[in-house]
Amino acid sequence: MERDVSSVRDDFPVLDRRVDDEPLTYLDNAATTQTPREVYEVYEEFYAGYNANVHRGIHALSHEASVAYEAAHDRLAEFVGASGGREEMIFTKNTTEAINLVAYGLGLNELGPGDEVVLTEMEHHASLVTWQQVAKRTGADVRYIRVDDDGTLDMDHAKELIGPDTAVVSVTHVSNTLGTVNPVAALAELAHDAGAYILVDGAQSVPTRPVDVEAMDADFLAFSGHKMAGPTGIGGLYGKRHLLEEMEPFLYGGEMIRNVTFHESTWNELPWKFEAGTPPIAAGIALGAAADYLDDIGMDAVRDHENELAQYLLERLDARDDVETYGPPAGEERSGLVAFNLDGVHGHDLSSLLNDRGIAIRAGDHCTQPLHDKLDVPGSVRASFYVYNTTAEIDRLLDALDGARDRLEEYLEDRYHDRIADHYRRPRNAGGLEDPTFTKHSAETSCGDEGEFHVSVGSDGTIEELSFESESCAVSTAVASLLTEHLAGEPVETAATLDGTAVELLDGQFPDLRRECVTGPERVIREGAREHLDASAESAPADD
């Protein structure tokens, strides 16, 4: 890096804190990066010096706020290579809102039956779910470019999918799970040759490498501030000016209008046409400061530093026989993240064990459930790096992985009610039933774990048999076992009205960080029982 990492770390006071008397090792940067002093000090400068609404007051403070806010748009346009300045840069809450702005402003108005939206199998839910829902409303079809075994896109498949019926191609530039850097310029060429638009999800690329929207010929690019050393609640959408001019606004109200009568309204000029209401003024100005900060380091240097750290970790994990990694292999370009699984330790449990060592990582499906289904794993652990991370921190992570399986039972005994350790060691009613009355899978809920309850209900409405299958963490597995024991012989209505039972059975003895792991299985069986009762009521003969 152009700046020494130790001097960069000095800009981030949070890195000096301790967690349970352990030094903080922050490796969750793909979710949110930390924020340097010169960015968060913008808030004090704004609120202490010139706090006022923009574009609405003929007084000094409003003028100063307006100038700074507008300049921030220009700064972010420059940061992503947009020569059109502020007219091509819309501030949004985040990447998700930016994608929704395009999907609703363009997709709902232009898509119809027979049109196709082409995504990739590695898309974040922000893109996948949004286009999925727009397609349902418009009658369009969604198709997915395959991901090869090495974590890269199958470009031959992309050429097959993107054709005359393609209206929109929406692709992630950098995968938040695999670390893959996709060939967005080549995909843009395929899209434009087919007469389609291309939207690039830059949530993981804008913060981590030089991005030039004009060189890649993106029609739209979405990104978030909180992943690029900026504040939360602010993001951006780049759009080619002529496309933004043609699009309908996503939100309506103040600021985005030019003229209003009792019968009709006309829209403001770009970008304000898409920024209804009082905008995130301080956050927008701070986002401009974040762009300045990163450019001072150098985006080439940011990219190279992240890649070096990712390669360092990947090489060491691949040398172990108890770890499976995902994405491009060592030696191939990737962003600064590595997703993996450690044999015998669920990601949620590993995250807790690492937290005891002050190490912050992400565990779960990373908002890429379909991709994890393709990988045939319920979730993964993700270590992700930024400008302030070091190889010494990676060594700390690697050291913590050693013996994690052996520490798990001790962790359960120390932190939880003794029933958790008991049911973890000796799970009751594990395995499915041959002919259950109903089943309920955790994937159908927001549980976040992988498991399924099988329930047999007798003619009198009592639960005769109850079992579970689980690829969940040790805590959720133990709670599932505990609930099957608790509900046996009870009326199915008891399962349908569970509310805090798991917490009561454990006398509240568990870390609050793992509350979801405790309450998740209860939510699954409750919803399954309610669905069964509703179905039974619908099929019951009507009274004469």
Side-chain angles (χ1 to χ4, degrees):
M1 292 178 62
E2 294 180 13
R3 284 182 58 191
D4 180 77
V5 176
S6 63
S7 71
V8 171
R9 290 179 66 87
D10 290 341
D11 298 332
F12 297 83
V14 68
L15 300 178
D16 292 330
R17 71 164 290 179
R18 301 182 74 83
V19 177
D20 291 334
D21 207 33
E22 294 280 351
L24 172 65
T25 302
Y26 187 79
L27 304 178
D28 192 22
N29 295 283
T32 294
T33 58
Q34 297 302 329
T35 309
R37 280 192 185 88
E38 65 185 69
V39 173
Y40 63 70
E41 285 176 352
V42 167
Y43 281 87
E44 182 175 2
E45 293 167 4
F46 174 78
Y47 286 112
Y50 57 104
N51 177 23
N53 215 325
V54 294
H55 306 151
R56 305 200 186 166
I58 306 177
H59 58 81
L61 269 62
S62 179
H63 174 71
E64 291 172 15
S66 298
V67 168
Y69 186 63
E70 291 169 2
H73 284 72
D74 292 333
R75 183 67 186 89
L76 270 298
E78 176 188 29
F79 189 71
V80 299
S83 60
R86 70 189 66 170
E87 293 179 337
E88 294 186 324
M89 179 55 60
I90 300 159
F91 280 174
T92 61
K93 289 199 300 291
N94 44 44
T95 303
T96 300
E97 183 178 88
I99 293 173
N100 273 265
L101 193 158
V102 177
Y104 280 78
L106 184 149
L108 280 182
N109 290 295
E110 297 198 18
L111 294 178
D115 288 330
E116 294 176 351
V117 179
V118 175
L119 312 178
T120 76
E121 291 181 333
M122 63 177 76
E123 292 306 303
H124 190 282
H125 295 166
S127 173
L128 193 154
V129 174
T130 301
W131 288 111
Q132 188 182 75
Q133 297 308 307
V134 167
K136 286 182 178 179
R137 297 189 187 188
T138 61
D141 295 318
V142 180
R143 307 184 75 185
Y144 299 92
I145 303 170
R146 286 193 297 263
V147 175
D148 287 334
D149 292 340
D150 64 356
T152 60
L153 278 186
D154 183 339
M155 289 301 289
D156 288 334
H157 190 227
K159 293 172 185 176
E160 293 175 15
L161 287 188
I162 300 172
D165 295 327
T166 305
V168 177
V169 176
S170 184
V171 295
T172 184
H173 190 176
V174 172
S175 169
N176 73 311
T177 297
L178 302 175
T180 308
V181 182
N182 286 321
V184 288
L187 290 164
E189 184 175 2
L190 290 174
H192 293 149
D193 286 347
Y197 304 108
I198 184 166
L199 165 61
V200 177
D201 176 352
Q204 298 295 333
S205 62
V206 172
T208 64
R209 63 200 53 248
V211 168
D212 187 329
V213 291
E214 294 180 359
M216 70 174 69
D217 201 14
D219 295 311
F220 304 97
L221 173 87
F223 62 95
S224 293
H226 67 98
K227 298 180 189 291
M228 55 176 286
T232 57
I234 185 76
L237 173 70
Y238 157 80
K240 291 179 178 176
R241 178 175 174 174
H242 72 277
L243 296 177
L244 294 175
E245 287 175 338
E246 295 167 5
M247 282 171 53
E248 281 296 303
F250 175 45
L251 299 171
Y252 299 91
E255 183 64 21
M256 54 76 60
I257 48 83
R258 174 172 293 162
N259 184 59
V260 179
T261 72
F262 284 120
H263 305 290
E264 63 181 358
S265 302
T266 58
W267 313 137
N268 204 344
E269 62 188 10
L270 293 172
W272 323 124
K273 165 185 173 181
F274 293 102
E275 295 188 19
T278 297
I281 304 167
I285 299 168
L287 184 57
D292 289 340
Y293 182 84
L294 292 176
D295 270 343
D296 181 57
I297 293 174
M299 293 309 296
D300 287 318
V302 174
R303 176 198 57 210
D304 294 345
H305 180 68
E306 282 205 0
N307 185 58
E308 289 171 7
L309 293 176
Q311 298 294 337
Y312 183 88
L313 175 58
L314 191 60
E315 290 169 2
R316 284 152 182 79
L317 291 179
D318 284 345
R320 302 174 64 125
D321 58 9
D322 61 346
V323 169
E324 181 178 12
T325 60
Y326 310 103
E332 299 293 326
E333 182 189 18
R334 62 157 61 217
S335 68
L337 65 88
V338 178
F340 64 94
N341 275 313
L342 178 67
D343 290 348
V345 185
H346 189 279
H348 292 175
D349 298 318
L350 181 58
S351 183
S352 291
L353 292 169
L354 293 176
N355 183 64
D356 284 352
R357 301 279 294 272
I359 302 170
I361 52 94
R362 180 72 44 162
D365 57 42
H366 318 309
C367 292
T368 56
Q369 287 183 17
L371 176 60
H372 278 86
D373 288 343
K374 180 180 175 65
L375 296 172
D376 197 27
V377 291
S380 59
V381 174
R382 184 184 69 193
S384 52
F385 318 114
Y386 209 44
V387 294
Y388 36 69
N389 290 124
T390 66
T391 55
E393 291 180 306
I394 295 176
D395 290 338
R396 197 175 301 156
L397 168 65
L398 292 165
D399 179 67
L401 295 181
D402 293 333
R405 285 187 301 274
D406 297 333
R407 294 197 305 275
L408 179 57
E409 189 163 338
E410 179 183 351
Y411 161 78
L412 294 175
E413 290 175 345
D414 287 347
R415 302 297 182 88
Y416 293 83
H417 192 287
D418 56 12
R419 284 178 171 170
I420 288 289
D422 178 34
H423 280 264
Y424 168 68
R425 283 192 298 264
R426 299 185 304 108
R428 281 66 139 178
N429 307 309
L433 299 179
E434 190 169 318
D435 188 24
T437 307
F438 70 89
T439 64
K440 184 64 176 179
H441 196 281
S442 62
E444 302 164 27
T445 72
S446 59
C447 176
D449 265 318
E450 186 79 13
E452 185 172 66
F453 283 102
H454 292 215
V455 184
S456 287
V457 181
S459 58
D460 61 352
T462 60
I463 297 174
E464 293 183 337
E465 289 187 275
L466 178 60
S467 71
F468 72 97
E469 295 178 332
S470 178
E471 293 183 68
S472 303
C473 65
V475 177
S476 288
T477 299
V479 171
S481 171
L482 184 62
L483 287 173
T484 61
E485 188 176 65
H486 176 75
L487 291 170
E490 294 290 328
V492 71
E493 287 84 0
T494 300
T497 55
L498 290 174
D499 186 13
T501 301
V503 173
E504 292 176 5
L505 290 172
L506 299 177
D507 297 325
Q509 295 180 28
F510 55 86
D512 199 52
L513 281 172
R514 301 297 297 275
R515 181 170 293 272
E516 283 293 309
C517 300
V518 170
T519 60
E522 178 180 296
R523 186 161 57 248
V524 176
I525 186 61
R526 180 177 67 232
E527 291 189 17
R530 288 177 178 177
E531 290 169 3
H532 166 72
L533 291 173
D534 289 343
S536 298
E538 289 178 6
S539 63
D543 294 334
D544 292 335

